[in-house]
Amino acid sequence: MSLTVLGLSGALTHDPSAALYIDGKLVAAAEEERFVRDKHAKNRMPYESARFCLDFAGIKPKDVDVVAIPFAPISLADKARWHYAKRYWYAPDRGLDAILMGNRRFYRYRRRIQWCLQQLGFDLKKVELVPVEHHLAHASSAYHCSAFKQKTAIMGIDGKGEYATTFFGWGENGKIHKIKEFYDPDSLGGLYGALTEFLGFDMLDGEYKVMGMAPYGDAEKYDFSRLAKFENGELVINTDYANVIGFRRYKENGKGYYFSPKLIDWLGPKREGDIADDPYIHYAASIQKLFEDLALQMMDYYLGDILRETGKLAFAGGGALNVKLNQKIIARPEVKELFVQPASGDSGTAVGAASYVSHGRGVPVEKMEHVYLGPSYTNEEVIAACAKHAARPVWQRIEAVPERIARILAAGQPVAWFQGRMEFGPRALGGRSILGCPSAPGVADRINEQIKFRERWRPFCPSMLDTVGPQMLQTEHPSPFMTFTFEVAEEWKSRVPEVVHEDGTARAQVLRREFNPRYYDLMVELEKLTGNGVALNTSLNRRGEPMICSPTDALNMFFGSDLQYLIMEDILVVKDGADVALGLA
């Protein structure tokens, strides 16, 4: 059976994306932010990303059988809308709206998607538009993409979808069964987001900064248990403090936050600036511990039996990007293998909605083994971008790229690395990366000074050869997507200090050559020069900007930073004053 499914996300006004399945194969997937150069592409539709997917596959809108969207109407017979109204009793207008007009957001979103499809050339009378519940899309993006054959426990934790915030279920023979959902405002992801705002970061963007700050603090100093509890199978967030709406919100300079003034009364003023200081480092440690404790309690309660039976767990939703929680999950004796959807946030629901529909129509999807699903560019396109660029780049086409670039890295210089297809999801995995040599003293500081300008307490991460992973991380557990942290073996902490975090862990990508041969070969060359088949890897972008997509984006970023070397395919761009001989000798 032939089936072409286009998944489109963006239902929750952020992170629109597109993913295209043809006969069960994920042919292309990309996030809108990369094309429009606007982080999270808020309030946009996935127009450019959908157009890319169609163009890449060489198909026309008429060739698409189904468009799947990760947002669906929720029946009034379902308890979700009643739960929302009851828990938001202090905002009766919202409660009434949930009961009387509870699917208004769905209809508004569907209209916007239909408009987007028309702009792309779709005939709305001929294409089938299928809504998939938001958390089912997350669940499918984890379970179906894991290709686990055994009965699989499925967990979804995020802010919220239509009304659901948390999902527990299982998958068997390609079918997803729901066990339990929690509903807004009882959201563990929402609570972490509220504390992210209190700690001075933006929700959707700053949660991983809180996670990076947490190891510097002491979780025992402050008891955060008043914020949430899990008892008798129910998660309850204390909405005196967080997950609040309307007049309960703390307001500052005209902006309302997801926490209340009562939180300020308890913990003091909201954090400002880039310094990780007392008491905020302890608050970060405390919310991280509460998040981990409650997530593990819920997992045990609803999924424990399944995990003891087969040991397989699939996890998605924004909460699945919490790599410290994932480390704790893998450490559980009953968990044999954890698959985390690499694009666990809402961009990944484009994949999930499409995979759910594909499976439902009898076309199982392939295992997701890599994220190199975006656009790629030829040497000729790179040269054309250089020729047009206002900075008039000095470039040269070079041979033996991995060998030459390894030499620059081993000399302690960072390199902007632009190769092959762009990654889908938030992690740079050797397609659009800034690389450094993790044994070169001070390289992380150099990257921060030259381009990233990020908070120094945030760790940089390693990519490594699959021959190195088991030695350095002391485990055979697959880690292709930087979705887990692992304890680093003692010997390796001194060998690659630039990629080991304060708590002795590393968020690692363990690469198999078949998925990115050139990046793998670069690390082989680094191993020859330094003894370590490991690269420091961070995303190719400036602070506050989306990851680079095109050669022109890369050149704009390169000339807006102090980086000295940029390699795009076989084209090496160097700045005046850089040691050209390093790359060309």
Side-chain angles (χ1 to χ4, degrees):
M1 176 185 173
S2 177
L3 181 68
T4 300
V5 185
L6 179 67
L8 298 178
S9 79
L12 292 154
T13 72
H14 62 82
D15 296 301
S17 63
L20 183 68
Y21 273 104
I22 300 179
D23 301 334
K25 182 178 175 62
L26 184 54
V27 174
E31 290 140 294
E32 191 72 9
E33 64 166 24
R34 310 286 170 84
F35 300 95
V36 299
R37 307 310 304 151
D38 174 21
K39 193 102 183 258
H40 299 298
K42 289 180 181 171
N43 299 310
R44 295 178 185 262
M45 285 288 102
Y47 174 79
E48 296 292 349
S49 44
R51 191 170 71 169
F52 155 71
C53 287
L54 298 174
D55 289 350
F56 182 86
I59 64 172
K60 299 276 188 282
K62 65 180 174 55
D63 301 318
V64 175
D65 299 306
V66 185
V67 173
I69 56 172
F71 208 75
I74 302 299
S75 164
L76 193 56
D78 194 286
K79 63 182 176 189
R81 288 159 64 180
W82 296 97
H83 179 93
Y84 180 94
K86 181 181 167 189
R87 292 283 279 124
Y88 284 122
W89 60 268
Y90 61 84
D93 55 326
R94 297 285 192 97
L96 274 173
D97 192 60
I99 291 165
L100 302 176
M101 305 281 289
N103 288 313
R104 182 165 52 187
R105 281 165 72 216
F106 165 73
Y107 294 115
R108 186 173 62 211
Y109 171 58
R110 188 175 65 177
R111 281 195 302 273
R112 294 189 73 196
I113 283 286
Q114 288 171 331
W115 177 86
C116 180
L117 290 170
Q118 286 177 312
Q119 308 310 305
L120 287 161
F122 280 84
D123 183 341
L124 296 183
K125 293 191 185 71
K126 292 183 179 166
V127 70
E128 192 180 354
L129 186 63
V130 177
V132 177
E133 278 183 36
H134 189 74
H135 275 81
L136 275 178
H138 273 311
S140 175
S141 78
Y143 167 58
H144 289 134
C145 293
S146 74
F148 287 157
K149 296 288 179 271
Q150 305 94 319
K151 187 175 182 180
T152 300
I154 306 171
M155 183 160 74
I157 297 176
D158 74 353
K160 69 175 272 193
E162 299 88 354
Y163 292 94
T165 66
T166 319
F167 175 97
F168 298 97
W170 86 91
E172 196 166 23
N173 302 320
K175 186 165 172 47
I176 294 173
H177 307 263
K178 207 183 278 188
I179 297 173
K180 176 72 175 177
E181 285 184 319
F182 298 123
Y183 306 112
D184 190 24
D186 297 310
S187 168
L188 194 53
L191 176 62
Y192 202 95
L195 268 291
T196 295
E197 287 193 328
F198 171 75
L199 288 169
F201 307 113
D202 291 334
M203 205 187 276
L204 294 180
D205 216 32
E207 285 84 351
Y208 57 95
K209 299 180 183 181
V210 174
M211 191 173 55
M213 190 193 281
Y216 293 90
D218 178 358
E220 303 304 320
K221 276 202 162 185
Y222 296 93
D223 179 6
F224 271 28
S225 61
R226 71 175 74 177
L227 294 175
K229 63 179 189 287
F230 179 68
E231 287 175 355
N232 306 316
E234 295 296 326
L235 173 70
V236 182
I237 305 296
N238 186 341
T239 53
D240 285 345
Y241 292 97
N243 297 15
V244 294
I245 57 174
F247 70 84
R248 270 202 192 176
R249 288 190 163 183
Y250 173 72
K251 295 182 179 65
E252 193 175 273
N253 302 325
K255 182 184 175 183
Y257 291 90
Y258 208 46
F259 56 86
S260 73
K262 196 166 177 180
L263 189 78
I264 300 272
D265 294 342
W266 173 36
L267 298 177
K270 187 168 91 57
R271 179 184 161 276
E272 306 287 346
D274 272 358
I275 307 301
D277 54 2
D278 193 332
Y280 300 102
I281 50 173
H282 307 304
Y283 296 160
S286 296
I287 190 60
Q288 176 64 27
K289 184 177 187 303
L290 184 68
F291 180 81
E292 290 171 7
D293 289 349
L294 292 175
L296 292 170
Q297 286 170 35
M298 294 190 296
M299 183 184 88
D300 288 342
Y301 190 94
Y302 286 110
L303 304 176
D305 289 347
I306 300 165
L307 289 170
R308 282 184 286 275
E309 186 184 332
T310 67
K312 301 287 187 183
L313 175 64
F315 188 16
L321 292 171
N322 193 300
V323 294
K324 293 294 178 193
L325 169 61
N326 296 343
Q327 182 179 0
K328 294 261 170 71
I329 292 172
I330 291 171
R332 288 293 177 101
E334 69 273 24
V335 177
K336 303 286 184 292
E337 188 174 352
L338 169 63
F339 178 87
V340 170
Q341 163 55 237
S344 273
D346 280 354
S347 60
T349 57
V351 170
S355 59
Y356 187 83
V357 167
S358 189
H359 263 271
R361 303 205 172 189
V363 182
V365 300
E366 293 179 354
K367 180 177 182 178
M368 194 169 180
E369 302 221 60
H370 68 84
V371 293
Y372 309 111
L373 296 162
S376 63
Y377 297 85
T378 63
N379 282 321
E380 289 65 37
E381 287 170 315
V382 170
I383 292 166
C386 289
K388 287 181 195 155
H389 200 270
R392 305 177 77 169
V394 177
W395 61 270
Q396 185 163 346
R397 189 170 183 156
I398 63 171
E399 303 290 327
V401 168
E403 196 182 318
R404 299 276 175 86
I405 300 305
R407 205 175 300 148
I408 298 174
L409 293 172
Q413 285 294 333
V415 175
W417 173 266
F418 180 112
Q419 301 289 327
R421 294 181 71 180
M422 179 179 71
E423 300 91 337
F424 181 64
R427 304 282 172 251
L429 296 168
R432 306 286 184 274
S433 293
I434 297 168
L435 304 179
C437 175
S439 58
V443 73
D445 288 330
R446 200 166 299 125
I447 289 172
N448 255 343
E449 287 156 14
Q450 289 187 3
I451 176 139
K452 292 301 263 195
F453 315 118
R454 65 198 238 170
E455 304 89 348
R456 187 57 200 101
W457 39 265
R458 284 175 51 205
F460 285 104
C461 301
S463 298
M464 64 193 67
L465 301 172
D466 52 1
T467 52
V468 170
Q471 304 167 43
M472 179 169 157
L473 307 175
Q474 309 171 93
T475 178
E476 298 282 348
H477 194 287
S479 183
F481 304 128
M482 280 193 185
T483 42
F484 313 126
T485 48
F486 298 100
E487 188 70 37
V488 175
E490 209 55 46
E491 177 205 350
W492 283 86
K493 287 177 184 172
S494 53
R495 285 173 67 168
V496 289
E498 299 287 306
V499 291
V500 180
H501 195 25
E502 176 75 7
D503 58 0
T505 64
R507 189 186 78 202
Q509 174 196 14
V510 180
L511 182 64
R512 284 162 51 192
R513 189 177 187 277
E514 64 195 281
F515 301 121
N516 193 334
R518 182 167 271 194
Y519 189 35
Y520 192 95
D521 292 347
L522 171 74
M523 288 189 280
V524 169
E525 293 300 327
L526 261 180
E527 190 171 46
K528 289 177 190 171
L529 292 169
T530 67
N532 306 315
V534 183
L536 180 156
N537 174 4
T538 187
S539 54
L540 186 57
N541 63 292
R542 286 180 291 201
R543 187 173 174 178
E545 293 179 358
M547 207 188 296
I548 294 309
C549 178
S550 71
T552 299
D553 300 336
L555 288 164
N556 289 342
M557 182 225 70
F558 182 63
F559 287 105
S561 77
D562 290 332
L563 282 168
Q564 302 296 299
Y565 301 92
L566 165 64
I567 180 75
M568 295 187 281
E569 299 306 327
D570 299 334
I571 310 303
L572 180 66
V573 182
V574 291
K575 290 224 178 102
D576 287 344
D579 186 350
V580 180
L582 265 180
L584 303 177

